[in-house]
Amino acid sequence: MFRLDADPALLSESDERRQLRLILRELLAATCRPEDVRTQQESPRGHDRRLWERLAGEIGVHGLAVPEEYGGAGYTFAELAVALEETGRVLCPAPLLPTVVLAGHALLDSGDRRACARWLPAIAAGALTATVAGVAHRADVRAEHGPGGWVLRGEADFVPDGEGADLLLVLARAPDGERLFACEPDGATCDRTARRVLDPTRRQALVRFRGAPAEPVGEPGRTSGIVEAVLDAGRVALAAEHVGGSAHALDAVLAYVSQRTQFGRAIGSFQAVKHRLADLLVEVEGAWSASAYASACLAARAAELPVAASAAAVACAGAYRLATTEYVQLHGGIGFTWEHPAHLYVRRARADEALFGTADDHRLRLAGLLGLAGRGGASVPGG
């Protein structure tokens, strides 16, 4: 039996979080309409740089969960989760997940104050994009001592925002074991090739290191704990995005079935449609509860975070799959056309299902963590 070792207020929406949600929703409604998202995802960088700067400068999204000593606002992940829900609601293609969540938590969880002081202020200000390599997907990268310090050789595949990120935090094999290294890539020692992926709003790349200069982050022997912490943060962030996307799908379907008529009545008045909508509402509400609990655990650094993160991954991915399915099907013939916004959400939901482990991976992990399985299950493949 697990209990939340944190302030119960983290589970409810405070006035500050409610105001943050309203401000973000207003901004994103004007800048991330479906046609805007399609335009942004096809741009060279994959997102709107102006919007990225506004999110950081006007609202302070990037620094919400960054300590004040590193240029952040000093709030918790509970506040950041609100922003992730709202960006997930509109499929904002800005790289918040790799930069703010994955790279940000990798630096903080490393305990390396020098590295945090060097890079976190720029992340919080929106001046630096970052990501992790070899964490969500295992890589073949080794770190060697070169004439001027550490260098990286090898490759990491399916790196989130790997083609454009200014900073790469790379999991590599060093002579004293696996360690995390910070690399500011350049064209002379690092090749980055965009991968063709199902969801173009979340870009990934193959990164090849050819003697790329790097600096170690954190102490030897702590790397496995950092990796697990970063993956759990990613799972909780993804769950929040899925809640936002599921809520959008439910709202869109409700609006459509209330207006679309057949046989002289709104199709939403038919019993079969009502039942499907009721089932979807239950799924979305359950996903929100699982996400809120996981966000509270991450905000409090609670011991039950691994359980909460995997439970949220299962609940929220399942709700998102159902929501996007109903989004397409209950729109009838128009819902099956690629031009309809529903398909942007279908692609995001399907691509995300295996980003930090599949639902079956997380069920196995939960069985191990809760003592319901006779073997392992304490870790989940990154992808």
Side-chain angles (χ1 to χ4, degrees):
M1 186 68 179
F2 286 84
R3 66 180 182 84
L4 177 61
D5 186 21
D7 185 351
L10 291 171
L11 292 169
S12 60
E13 189 158 273
S14 65
D15 288 338
E16 285 184 329
R17 290 183 210 131
R18 191 173 299 109
Q19 287 298 317
L20 173 63
R21 186 183 300 281
L22 291 174
I23 293 170
L24 279 168
R25 190 166 298 184
E26 181 179 358
L27 172 63
L28 295 171
T31 56
C32 277
R33 296 163 298 181
E35 57 269 29
D36 298 322
V37 171
R38 293 183 191 275
T39 299
Q40 291 177 39
Q41 73 183 23
E42 293 169 2
S43 67
R45 188 60 183 86
H47 68 273
D48 182 350
R49 183 68 189 184
R50 173 59 181 154
L51 175 59
W52 177 260
E53 293 170 352
R54 291 184 68 185
L55 288 171
E58 295 180 16
I59 305 177
V61 169
H62 302 57
L64 282 172
V66 175
E68 291 180 283
E69 64 179 303
Y70 300 126
Y75 288 105
T76 70
F77 190 88
E79 284 72 33
L80 181 57
V82 172
L84 293 167
E85 283 182 30
E86 293 306 313
T87 55
R89 177 183 283 270
V90 297
L91 299 184
C92 177
L96 285 172
L97 178 65
T99 297
V100 177
V101 178
L102 300 180
H105 276 82
L107 289 168
L108 287 170
D109 291 326
S110 73
D112 189 328
R113 295 179 61 85
R114 181 199 57 80
C116 288
R118 179 173 177 180
W119 287 297
L120 279 178
I123 288 177
L128 180 79
T129 58
T131 189
V132 296
V135 174
H137 294 271
R138 288 296 172 181
D140 182 18
V141 182
R142 65 184 183 279
E144 304 172 350
H145 281 291
W150 289 96
V151 295
L152 300 178
R153 302 186 188 278
E155 65 179 42
D157 208 350
F158 296 103
V159 178
D161 197 40
E163 186 184 15
D166 303 315
L167 174 69
L168 304 176
L169 296 171
V170 187
L171 184 64
R173 300 189 312 276
D176 53 354
E178 279 194 326
R179 293 190 65 179
L180 198 65
F181 288 84
C183 171
E184 295 178 329
D186 60 68
T189 59
C190 189
D191 298 322
R192 301 192 277 179
T193 306
R195 285 298 198 187
R196 186 178 180 183
V197 291
L198 178 61
D199 175 20
T201 67
R202 207 187 293 283
R203 293 189 174 186
Q204 300 180 53
L206 169 66
V207 182
R208 291 191 174 95
F209 301 95
R210 298 180 287 104
E215 299 180 23
V217 175
E219 297 296 326
R222 295 188 54 196
T223 306
S224 61
I226 297 171
V227 169
E228 283 304 312
V230 170
L231 286 174
D232 275 335
R235 290 158 186 153
V236 178
L238 209 59
E241 288 189 354
H242 290 174
V243 167
S246 299
H248 162 82
L250 177 58
D251 290 346
V253 170
L254 283 172
Y256 182 77
V257 301
S258 298
Q259 298 170 4
R260 178 74 165 88
T261 59
Q262 194 167 10
F263 306 114
R265 55 191 285 196
I267 62 175
S269 66
F270 292 107
Q271 195 73 4
V273 175
K274 288 181 178 180
H275 286 168
R276 290 171 70 168
L277 292 174
D279 289 342
L280 178 54
L281 177 62
V282 170
E283 288 289 327
V284 173
E285 289 291 322
W288 181 87
S289 295
S291 174
Y293 176 67
S295 294
C297 287
L298 181 53
R301 300 285 178 167
E304 61 268 34
L305 173 59
V307 171
S310 282
V314 173
C316 297
Y320 205 10
R321 170 182 276 270
L322 177 62
T324 54
T325 298
E326 297 291 36
Y327 196 179
V328 170
Q329 293 184 358
L330 289 176
H331 272 78
I334 192 174
F336 284 86
T337 63
W338 283 114
E339 293 76 17
H340 195 275
H343 287 274
L344 293 171
Y345 290 84
V346 170
R347 286 171 176 255
R348 173 66 70 88
R350 297 298 184 270
D352 281 357
E353 283 184 357
L355 190 55
F356 300 121
T358 66
D360 285 343
D361 290 330
H362 287 292
R363 290 187 181 97
L364 179 61
R365 186 191 192 205
L366 285 168
L369 290 169
L370 297 173
L372 302 177
R375 61 184 178 87
S379 63
V380 177

